[in-house]
């Protein structure tokens, strides 16, 4: 995965993160506890966005396969599993996350 070459020449690399909820109806029927965890999840990724790590993130409202999506920018691939592991929704077992390298094209 380290062959990721981005076109922004910052020396940083990009990954797409896909988070999967525990059930397809999660967006509509989460419990109060799950909602609180998701608020922590949003706060976590908002902080990563403020730090310049998360370029964009949010839910993808595909009725057949709802999921979350994030595009992140990091110095090296080793940072990605740590970012995922520290996500409150992952820690609580509410979301699973997979990630893939991305050749991102960013605005100048």
């Amino acid at each position: 995965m380290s062959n990721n070459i981005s076109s922004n020449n910052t020396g940083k690399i990009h990954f797409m993160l896909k988070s999967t909820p525990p059930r397809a109806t999660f967006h509509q029927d989460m419990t109060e506890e799950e909602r609180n965890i998701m608020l922590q999840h949003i706060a976590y990724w908002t902080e990563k966005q403020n730090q310049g790590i998360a370029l964009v993130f949010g839910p993808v409202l595909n009725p057949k396969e709802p999921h979350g999506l994030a595009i992140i920018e990091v110095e090296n691939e080793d940072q990605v599993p740590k970012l995922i592991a520290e996500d409150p929704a992952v820690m609580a077992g509410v979301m699973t996350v997979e990630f893939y390298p991305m050749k991102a094209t960013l605005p100048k």
Side-chain angles (χ1 to χ4, degrees):
M1 281 197 262
S2 59
N3 292 335
N4 184 2
I5 301 169
S6 71
S7 62
N8 65 352
N9 297 323
T10 64
K12 294 189 178 183
I13 56 177
H14 301 91
F15 290 86
M16 184 277 299
L17 281 58
K18 179 183 177 186
S19 57
T20 304
R23 56 193 176 277
T25 57
F26 183 72
H27 179 73
Q28 294 131 355
D29 65 6
M30 66 180 87
T31 66
E32 185 176 338
E33 180 182 0
E34 290 170 330
R35 188 173 311 283
N36 288 333
I37 291 165
M38 292 308 294
L39 290 172
Q40 293 172 38
H41 165 78
I42 294 165
Y44 175 80
W45 286 107
T46 299
E47 178 59 27
K48 298 306 175 200
Q49 190 172 54
N50 293 338
Q51 294 170 359
I53 296 168
L55 302 181
V56 64
F57 71 94
V60 177
L61 304 177
N62 176 345
K64 293 183 181 179
E65 187 188 343
H67 60 277
L69 178 80
I71 306 299
I72 63 170
E73 180 177 78
V74 293
E75 298 287 334
N76 63 68
E77 185 176 340
D78 295 338
Q79 292 174 267
V80 181
K82 184 176 187 298
L83 287 165
I84 293 169
E86 293 176 351
D87 180 333
V90 172
M91 291 171 47
V94 173
M95 292 277 176
T96 58
V97 179
E98 53 191 284
F99 67 95
Y100 303 96
M102 180 179 180
K103 293 184 178 186
T105 300
L106 304 175
K108 295 182 183 199

